[in-house]
Amino acid sequence: MVKRIQFSRTGGPEVLEFIEFTPAEPGPGEVRVRHQAVGLNFIDIYFRTGLYPAPALPSGLGTEAAGVVDAVGEGVEHLAVGDRVAYAQGPLGAYAEQHVLPAEKVVVLPDGIDAETAAAAMLKGLTVQYLLRQTYPLQGGETILFHAAAGGVGSIACQWARALGVKLIGTVSSPEKAALAEKNGAWATIDYTRENVVERVRELTGGAMCDVVYDSVGKDTWETSLDCLKKRGLMVSFGNASGPVEGVNIGILNQKGSLYVTRPSLNGYADTRERLEEMAADLFAMLESGKVSVDISQRFPLAEAGKAQEALASRRTTGSTILLP
């Protein structure tokens, strides 16, 4: 018997249960991973609250972890028992001591990357990889706006943008978070609690505005983000921290300058094992080069997953947060 977090109904952190269960044996094309560290992400809260429906209830939770392969199913050739591995794409159940999942979602870790770093970096780092290198392939010299620049994804984005020679303007909620974002490589920061974001972007860019806006906040920042773009700029809406964007009249994109908009996800980019491995190799290269490092600012026992989610949702965290089985 091992332990995991599950929920039988949607709601607040109180619906999370810490239980014992017997992990399944891996079937064809599957592996079982014994976790050493588990990633904490906003998408976990979306599933817990029901914004994203779980396939069935009761359900496990979490899509990201790192550890060691414990068992291998029939037909799996690229992984073996004892391999150090990590993953970032479900199925739900990473909030556990062990988890069975498709082998095609699992990548082998380089020797220079430990399990805690991998658990903190896989989902966030792969997200930054597709945002900066695929959704809009930044070449250097662009000016971009990145919301929540001191968070887990934002902290990696600041570093990666600096390495690419991109001017990243980051929104933050406090002077402390501004200092962190700037330390990580943000060209400039805007404290949205006391500054007008659009006006500051206009000042910082001399009226030119931004080539791209990366927005993980959603409903509360939708209009602001559009107003920060130059003509024919790209709005990348990749999260719903304040709720989903709804009821949008597409004509607003014309009114604000023939804008583009996309709503990407990691699953839409890392949709084959080959593409996942290419993206992971790019991320691992950035980590091993030192151009990107992961700030694990919070560690919680697995049993305290609810407290960890509360801290994340209330924006009391910086950098990345992990759960320890």
Side-chain angles (χ1 to χ4, degrees):
M1 300 287 281
V2 297
K3 295 181 178 179
R4 74 167 184 171
I5 295 286
Q6 72 171 31
F7 61 107
S8 300
R9 57 189 175 91
T10 57
E14 70 280 355
V15 305
L16 299 181
E17 308 166 293
F18 190 49
I19 66 159
E20 289 190 336
F21 80 112
T22 302
E25 292 297 320
E30 294 181 331
V31 294
R32 188 172 66 212
V33 180
R34 184 177 72 255
H35 292 157
Q36 296 171 324
V38 176
L40 178 78
N41 299 285
F42 245 104
I43 193 172
D44 307 338
I45 297 175
Y46 299 160
F47 278 110
R48 188 204 72 211
T49 61
L51 176 63
Y52 291 177
L57 295 176
S59 173
L61 192 60
T63 62
E64 175 186 42
V68 177
V69 174
D70 180 70
V72 176
E74 182 183 351
V76 176
E77 297 180 353
H78 72 290
L79 298 171
V81 172
D83 282 348
R84 298 175 58 254
V85 296
Y87 63 89
Q89 299 168 273
L92 296 177
Y95 283 26
E97 293 176 344
Q98 293 183 13
H99 188 35
V100 174
L101 72 160
E104 65 179 7
K105 302 296 186 183
V106 179
V107 296
V108 175
L109 287 177
D111 291 340
I113 298 177
D114 61 75
E116 289 195 1
T117 298
M122 279 294 289
L123 182 58
K124 301 172 187 67
L126 291 175
T127 296
V128 173
Q129 197 282 338
Y130 81 71
L131 290 175
L132 303 191
R133 306 304 292 143
Q134 298 187 70
T135 303
Y136 188 105
L138 294 167
Q139 303 300 313
E142 297 93 345
T143 301
I144 65 176
L145 181 70
F146 209 101
H147 288 288
V153 174
S155 294
I156 295 174
C158 286
Q159 298 173 72
W160 209 317
R162 175 174 58 187
L164 292 171
V166 171
K167 292 181 176 179
L168 182 148
I169 302 170
T171 68
V172 295
S173 59
S174 70
E176 294 77 17
K177 290 189 175 184
L180 177 60
E182 289 166 8
K183 176 184 176 184
N184 282 327
W187 175 66
T189 55
I190 301 172
D191 186 340
Y192 64 82
T193 66
R194 59 184 182 85
E195 297 178 286
N196 182 290
V197 173
V198 178
E199 289 180 3
R200 279 294 289 145
V201 167
R202 187 172 288 113
E203 291 172 6
L204 289 164
T205 63
M209 311 309 280
C210 296
D211 298 280
V212 193
V213 173
Y214 296 98
D215 189 334
S216 61
V217 179
K219 179 177 65 176
D220 290 354
T221 51
W222 169 254
E223 290 272 358
T224 294
S225 293
L226 295 180
D227 288 337
C228 289
L229 286 166
K230 61 177 57 174
K231 287 184 178 180
R232 297 177 299 280
L234 175 63
M235 166 66 170
V236 183
S237 177
F238 70 100
N240 317 285
S242 67
V245 177
E246 297 176 333
V248 174
N249 176 359
I250 197 170
I252 197 173
L253 302 177
N254 172 45
Q255 296 165 18
K256 292 183 180 294
S258 296
L259 304 178
Y260 295 86
V261 64
T262 183
R263 178 57 174 91
S265 69
L266 177 58
N267 287 339
Y269 281 86
D271 55 349
T272 67
R273 195 185 100 203
E274 291 73 23
R275 287 175 64 87
L276 170 61
E277 290 183 345
E278 289 174 3
M279 292 168 64
D282 195 10
L283 170 61
F284 294 156
M286 293 298 288
L287 291 170
E288 292 186 302
S289 72
K291 294 177 181 177
V292 170
S293 61
V294 180
D295 173 24
I296 304 174
S297 296
Q298 299 81 210
R299 292 173 172 83
F300 289 83
L302 179 61
E304 296 181 6
K307 290 183 180 179
Q309 289 189 354
E310 283 184 301
L312 180 63
S314 63
R315 301 187 179 183
R316 299 198 308 270
T317 64
T318 58
S320 296
T321 302
I322 60 172
L323 306 173
L324 299 176

